[in-house]
Amino acid sequence: MSSSTPPTHDPKWRRLPEERPRQILEAAIAVFGEHGIAAAKLEEIAARAGVSKGTIYLYFPSKEDLFREVIRQVLVPRIAQVEHELTGGTAIEQIERYLRVHWHYFDRPEAASWLRLVLFELHKFPDLEQFYYDEVIALSNRVLGDVLRRGVASGELRQLDPAASVSLIKAVLLMHVIWMSSPAAKASARAPQHTIDGIVDFVLHALRPDAPAGVAAPVLP
Amino acid sequence: MSSSTPPTHDPKWRRLPEERPRQILEAAIAVFGEHGIAAAKLEEIAARAGVSKGTIYLYFPSKEDLFREVIRQVLVPRIAQVEHELTGGTAIEQIERYLRVHWHYFDRPEAASWLRLVLFELHKFPDLEQFYYDEVIALSNRVLGDVLRRGVASGELRQLDPAASVSLIKAVLLMHVIWMSSPAAKASARAPQHTIDGIVDFVLHALRPDAPAGVAAPVLP
DNA sequence: TTAGTAAATGACTTATCGGTCAGTTATATA
DNA sequence: TATATAACTGACCGATAAGTCATTTACTAA
């Protein structure tokens, strides 16, 4: 047509070697979350990242390695960050805050999907599971365990095994996250707000001292 | 060699139309349990059942229907049976028995694998999930819910929402079954016996009445 | 302007697996 | 023993998706 057309061609694609890994990882966390490891398609990840399938292989050797990097570079930091939103207050207050902060964090469907995936599909990759355990679970357990130890020492909580209690508390919380995230559960469900209130009530009752006649622990309103 | 060989040929296979469905279902529950729905291979199910892949299709229209029948004919009766091992005693005793009986039931790796599968993969088959909910979960919830209602009425337990408490109790139990069944967890694990003792202690503390004389305000919906 | 090359593409290869069916074998019955 | 047929087999088909690579395109620097 007109010879005034500038020499620029609207390139079909651009060279962005610095940004590709991040773009791919971001797309991958979404797709893995939605479909799980096995059912996630590289074509879909590529499409969402705005690249072709071949490009993924320029940066990640295989689907499994891509998954590894998603955990390492995206998931671990994201979860570790949540663990640090809790400081200050009595042990009871911190436990309640722990429950509510995590409940709120897992309220996003994406987070719940990943929890599902970690709990139920990760065991097929034992080394990854170990890595995840060391980096995420152990940290998280330490944080909550310390709170419990302090509470026991101060008499705010009854005499209990902190490590075991961490598991018990998390079990209640995480299982309800799973249940609330399933559409079927939502049919028969009460409101999420009501659910977390019930969890907090249940857990705190389980942890408080027996309060036999003598020293009735002051129950705050 | 010898011409005394009887005319019988050691048939390569036998006609057993009455037994095939059971054989196939038994093989299927094992393979589905080990690999999940998607990763279970019909060839493997066929091999374990001692038949060829084609034979499966003489009795079941598709892999998904086979899975349905496994739930219907194998899993539901097996679980329903467990629910009935608990009768008699105080509410507290029944709850403790409920926890220990189920803990023992899920001690077999096969049972834990199926729990995983139900929690993680069943949501991809909404009608199946509904079916499972109606046949298994609802029954189980009713049984335990009745125990709680009785306990509340008699004052053995504190004022609580029975339906919500059923979820809370099951959450603790089931999540620990999952965790105990994962090899990674076993590394850092205490003994199963110790774990179930901790669960019982935790749950019973959460359910017992507040000791202090004053009227601790129960939260009722 | 023009090689030179790094980045990116997408058609292709390969493997897997659910599902089909023409052919084979066992067994009942005549 | 001969015939009919129900039960069963396993080679095959088609769809899907991970992974490869010859080719194309964007960019750089001489």
Side-chain angles (χ1 to χ4, degrees), chain A residues 60-82:
Chain A
F60 304 94
S62 71
K63 184 179 176 179
E64 192 181 319
D65 284 276
L66 174 58
F67 182 80
R68 287 186 148 70
E69 290 307 309
V70 169
I71 291 217
R72 261 189 266 271
Q73 298 190 29
V74 184
L75 204 64
V76 167
R78 202 170 282 185
I79 294 180
Q81 163 212 332
V82 177

mmCIF file of all heavy atoms in Angstrom, chain A residues 60-82:
data_model
loop_
_atom_site.group_PDB
_atom_site.id
_atom_site.type_symbol
_atom_site.label_atom_id
_atom_site.label_comp_id
_atom_site.label_asym_id
_atom_site.label_seq_id
_atom_site.Cartn_x
_atom_site.Cartn_y
_atom_site.Cartn_z
ATOM 1 N N PHE A 60 12.532 -24.587 31.297
ATOM 2 C CA PHE A 60 12.321 -25.665 32.269
ATOM 3 C C PHE A 60 12.440 -26.999 31.543
ATOM 4 O O PHE A 60 11.844 -27.186 30.492
ATOM 5 C CB PHE A 60 10.943 -25.532 32.916
ATOM 6 C CG PHE A 60 10.720 -24.199 33.578
ATOM 7 C CD1 PHE A 60 10.094 -23.164 32.899
ATOM 8 C CD2 PHE A 60 11.172 -23.972 34.873
ATOM 9 C CE1 PHE A 60 9.899 -21.928 33.494
ATOM 10 C CE2 PHE A 60 10.981 -22.741 35.478
ATOM 11 C CZ PHE A 60 10.339 -21.711 34.793
ATOM 12 N N PRO A 61 13.200 -27.916 32.120
ATOM 13 C CA PRO A 61 13.478 -29.171 31.414
ATOM 14 C C PRO A 61 12.267 -30.067 31.245
ATOM 15 O O PRO A 61 12.231 -30.873 30.324
ATOM 16 C CB PRO A 61 14.528 -29.857 32.294
ATOM 17 C CG PRO A 61 14.876 -28.915 33.387
ATOM 18 C CD PRO A 61 13.903 -27.801 33.404
ATOM 19 N N SER A 62 11.300 -29.986 32.136
ATOM 20 C CA SER A 62 10.151 -30.880 32.038
ATOM 21 C C SER A 62 9.002 -30.330 32.872
ATOM 22 O O SER A 62 9.179 -29.398 33.664
ATOM 23 C CB SER A 62 10.506 -32.280 32.535
ATOM 24 O OG SER A 62 10.668 -32.251 33.938
ATOM 25 N N LYS A 63 7.861 -30.929 32.692
ATOM 26 C CA LYS A 63 6.681 -30.516 33.450
ATOM 27 C C LYS A 63 6.922 -30.661 34.948
ATOM 28 O O LYS A 63 6.563 -29.797 35.732
ATOM 29 C CB LYS A 63 5.500 -31.388 33.022
ATOM 30 C CG LYS A 63 4.170 -31.027 33.644
ATOM 31 C CD LYS A 63 3.098 -31.965 33.118
ATOM 32 C CE LYS A 63 1.767 -31.715 33.785
ATOM 33 N NZ LYS A 63 0.715 -32.621 33.263
ATOM 34 N N GLU A 64 7.561 -31.754 35.308
ATOM 35 C CA GLU A 64 7.802 -31.988 36.728
ATOM 36 C C GLU A 64 8.737 -30.932 37.306
ATOM 37 O O GLU A 64 8.530 -30.440 38.414
ATOM 38 C CB GLU A 64 8.380 -33.396 36.919
ATOM 39 C CG GLU A 64 8.384 -33.825 38.372
ATOM 40 C CD GLU A 64 8.991 -35.213 38.557
ATOM 41 O OE1 GLU A 64 8.708 -36.094 37.733
ATOM 42 O OE2 GLU A 64 9.740 -35.385 39.534
ATOM 43 N N ASP A 65 9.748 -30.578 36.546
ATOM 44 C CA ASP A 65 10.666 -29.550 37.033
ATOM 45 C C ASP A 65 9.979 -28.194 37.119
ATOM 46 O O ASP A 65 10.262 -27.402 38.026
ATOM 47 C CB ASP A 65 11.887 -29.461 36.107
ATOM 48 C CG ASP A 65 12.837 -30.613 36.347
ATOM 49 O OD1 ASP A 65 13.652 -30.507 37.251
ATOM 50 O OD2 ASP A 65 12.709 -31.638 35.633
ATOM 51 N N LEU A 66 9.099 -27.955 36.175
ATOM 52 C CA LEU A 66 8.332 -26.714 36.235
ATOM 53 C C LEU A 66 7.538 -26.667 37.527
ATOM 54 O O LEU A 66 7.512 -25.652 38.237
ATOM 55 C CB LEU A 66 7.399 -26.624 35.028
ATOM 56 C CG LEU A 66 6.412 -25.454 35.018
ATOM 57 C CD1 LEU A 66 7.131 -24.121 35.109
ATOM 58 C CD2 LEU A 66 5.545 -25.500 33.766
ATOM 59 N N PHE A 67 6.933 -27.783 37.852
ATOM 60 C CA PHE A 67 6.158 -27.841 39.088
ATOM 61 C C PHE A 67 7.053 -27.582 40.307
ATOM 62 O O PHE A 67 6.693 -26.847 41.216
ATOM 63 C CB PHE A 67 5.487 -29.207 39.204
ATOM 64 C CG PHE A 67 4.625 -29.345 40.415
ATOM 65 C CD1 PHE A 67 3.344 -28.815 40.419
ATOM 66 C CD2 PHE A 67 5.092 -29.977 41.553
ATOM 67 C CE1 PHE A 67 2.545 -28.919 41.540
ATOM 68 C CE2 PHE A 67 4.294 -30.082 42.677
ATOM 69 C CZ PHE A 67 3.021 -29.558 42.672
ATOM 70 N N ARG A 68 8.213 -28.191 40.301
ATOM 71 C CA ARG A 68 9.177 -27.955 41.386
ATOM 72 C C ARG A 68 9.450 -26.476 41.562
ATOM 73 O O ARG A 68 9.456 -25.948 42.663
ATOM 74 C CB ARG A 68 10.500 -28.634 41.065
ATOM 75 C CG ARG A 68 10.479 -30.105 41.181
ATOM 76 C CD ARG A 68 11.897 -30.655 40.995
ATOM 77 N NE ARG A 68 12.064 -31.853 41.781
ATOM 78 C CZ ARG A 68 11.462 -32.996 41.501
ATOM 79 N NH1 ARG A 68 10.664 -33.090 40.467
ATOM 80 N NH2 ARG A 68 11.634 -34.039 42.272
ATOM 81 N N GLU A 69 9.702 -25.805 40.465
ATOM 82 C CA GLU A 69 10.056 -24.396 40.553
ATOM 83 C C GLU A 69 8.886 -23.556 41.021
ATOM 84 O O GLU A 69 9.066 -22.532 41.672
ATOM 85 C CB GLU A 69 10.585 -23.896 39.212
ATOM 86 C CG GLU A 69 11.952 -24.465 38.869
ATOM 87 C CD GLU A 69 12.969 -24.246 39.990
ATOM 88 O OE1 GLU A 69 13.110 -23.110 40.456
ATOM 89 O OE2 GLU A 69 13.611 -25.238 40.397
ATOM 90 N N VAL A 70 7.676 -23.961 40.655
ATOM 91 C CA VAL A 70 6.507 -23.223 41.138
ATOM 92 C C VAL A 70 6.476 -23.272 42.662
ATOM 93 O O VAL A 70 6.284 -22.255 43.326
ATOM 94 C CB VAL A 70 5.201 -23.797 40.553
ATOM 95 C CG1 VAL A 70 3.995 -23.208 41.258
ATOM 96 C CG2 VAL A 70 5.118 -23.498 39.067
ATOM 97 N N ILE A 71 6.700 -24.444 43.208
ATOM 98 C CA ILE A 71 6.713 -24.544 44.675
ATOM 99 C C ILE A 71 7.836 -23.703 45.259
ATOM 100 O O ILE A 71 7.639 -22.904 46.165
ATOM 101 C CB ILE A 71 6.891 -26.007 45.107
ATOM 102 C CG1 ILE A 71 5.627 -26.797 44.765
ATOM 103 C CG2 ILE A 71 7.191 -26.072 46.604
ATOM 104 C CD1 ILE A 71 5.273 -27.834 45.797
ATOM 105 N N ARG A 72 9.015 -23.882 44.707
ATOM 106 C CA ARG A 72 10.186 -23.214 45.251
ATOM 107 C C ARG A 72 10.084 -21.702 45.181
ATOM 108 O O ARG A 72 10.308 -21.002 46.147
ATOM 109 C CB ARG A 72 11.443 -23.642 44.489
ATOM 110 C CG ARG A 72 12.254 -24.715 45.180
ATOM 111 C CD ARG A 72 13.576 -24.921 44.478
ATOM 112 N NE ARG A 72 13.489 -25.994 43.501
ATOM 113 C CZ ARG A 72 13.721 -27.274 43.786
ATOM 114 N NH1 ARG A 72 14.048 -27.630 45.007
ATOM 115 N NH2 ARG A 72 13.616 -28.200 42.863
ATOM 116 N N GLN A 73 9.704 -21.201 44.024
ATOM 117 C CA GLN A 73 9.835 -19.770 43.786
ATOM 118 C C GLN A 73 8.556 -18.986 44.036
ATOM 119 O O GLN A 73 8.604 -17.778 44.241
ATOM 120 C CB GLN A 73 10.304 -19.517 42.342
ATOM 121 C CG GLN A 73 11.672 -20.113 42.060
ATOM 122 C CD GLN A 73 12.231 -19.647 40.727
ATOM 123 O OE1 GLN A 73 11.934 -18.563 40.253
ATOM 124 N NE2 GLN A 73 13.046 -20.489 40.115
ATOM 125 N N VAL A 74 7.419 -19.636 43.955
ATOM 126 C CA VAL A 74 6.167 -18.903 44.105
ATOM 127 C C VAL A 74 5.466 -19.256 45.405
ATOM 128 O O VAL A 74 5.106 -18.392 46.199
ATOM 129 C CB VAL A 74 5.216 -19.176 42.915
ATOM 130 C CG1 VAL A 74 3.962 -18.331 43.055
ATOM 131 C CG2 VAL A 74 5.918 -18.876 41.598
ATOM 132 N N LEU A 75 5.285 -20.537 45.639
ATOM 133 C CA LEU A 75 4.419 -20.960 46.735
ATOM 134 C C LEU A 75 5.074 -20.774 48.103
ATOM 135 O O LEU A 75 4.478 -20.225 49.024
ATOM 136 C CB LEU A 75 4.034 -22.420 46.531
ATOM 137 C CG LEU A 75 2.744 -22.835 47.218
ATOM 138 C CD1 LEU A 75 1.575 -22.077 46.622
ATOM 139 C CD2 LEU A 75 2.533 -24.327 47.083
ATOM 140 N N VAL A 76 6.313 -21.238 48.214
ATOM 141 C CA VAL A 76 6.978 -21.170 49.509
ATOM 142 C C VAL A 76 7.041 -19.740 50.043
ATOM 143 O O VAL A 76 6.649 -19.489 51.190
ATOM 144 C CB VAL A 76 8.377 -21.809 49.439
ATOM 145 C CG1 VAL A 76 9.186 -21.467 50.666
ATOM 146 C CG2 VAL A 76 8.255 -23.318 49.291
ATOM 147 N N PRO A 77 7.511 -18.777 49.236
ATOM 148 C CA PRO A 77 7.565 -17.411 49.772
ATOM 149 C C PRO A 77 6.187 -16.881 50.155
ATOM 150 O O PRO A 77 6.024 -16.211 51.169
ATOM 151 C CB PRO A 77 8.138 -16.599 48.603
ATOM 152 C CG PRO A 77 8.794 -17.582 47.717
ATOM 153 C CD PRO A 77 8.053 -18.867 47.879
ATOM 154 N N ARG A 78 5.196 -17.241 49.328
ATOM 155 C CA ARG A 78 3.863 -16.716 49.569
ATOM 156 C C ARG A 78 3.316 -17.217 50.908
ATOM 157 O O ARG A 78 2.671 -16.475 51.644
ATOM 158 C CB ARG A 78 2.950 -17.175 48.409
ATOM 159 C CG ARG A 78 1.741 -16.332 48.222
ATOM 160 C CD ARG A 78 1.006 -16.678 46.931
ATOM 161 N NE ARG A 78 1.637 -16.115 45.740
ATOM 162 C CZ ARG A 78 1.111 -16.207 44.523
ATOM 163 N NH1 ARG A 78 -0.035 -16.868 44.338
ATOM 164 N NH2 ARG A 78 1.724 -15.669 43.499
ATOM 165 N N ILE A 79 3.556 -18.465 51.202
ATOM 166 C CA ILE A 79 3.020 -19.018 52.443
ATOM 167 C C ILE A 79 3.844 -18.563 53.642
ATOM 168 O O ILE A 79 3.305 -18.231 54.695
ATOM 169 C CB ILE A 79 2.981 -20.555 52.361
ATOM 170 C CG1 ILE A 79 1.971 -20.967 51.295
ATOM 171 C CG2 ILE A 79 2.611 -21.153 53.712
ATOM 172 C CD1 ILE A 79 1.843 -22.456 51.124
ATOM 173 N N ALA A 80 5.157 -18.543 53.441
ATOM 174 C CA ALA A 80 6.020 -18.129 54.545
ATOM 175 C C ALA A 80 5.637 -16.733 55.016
ATOM 176 O O ALA A 80 5.674 -16.422 56.212
ATOM 177 C CB ALA A 80 7.478 -18.163 54.098
ATOM 178 N N GLN A 81 5.232 -15.903 54.068
ATOM 179 C CA GLN A 81 4.850 -14.538 54.401
ATOM 180 C C GLN A 81 3.650 -14.500 55.335
ATOM 181 O O GLN A 81 3.600 -13.711 56.289
ATOM 182 C CB GLN A 81 4.549 -13.792 53.096
ATOM 183 C CG GLN A 81 3.770 -12.513 53.281
ATOM 184 C CD GLN A 81 2.867 -12.255 52.084
ATOM 185 O OE1 GLN A 81 3.168 -12.674 50.962
ATOM 186 N NE2 GLN A 81 1.758 -11.561 52.311
ATOM 187 N N VAL A 82 2.684 -15.381 55.071
ATOM 188 C CA VAL A 82 1.486 -15.398 55.919
ATOM 189 C C VAL A 82 1.852 -15.710 57.363
ATOM 190 O O VAL A 82 1.262 -15.171 58.300
ATOM 191 C CB VAL A 82 0.473 -16.439 55.405
ATOM 192 C CG1 VAL A 82 -0.735 -16.519 56.321
ATOM 193 C CG2 VAL A 82 0.049 -16.094 53.993
#
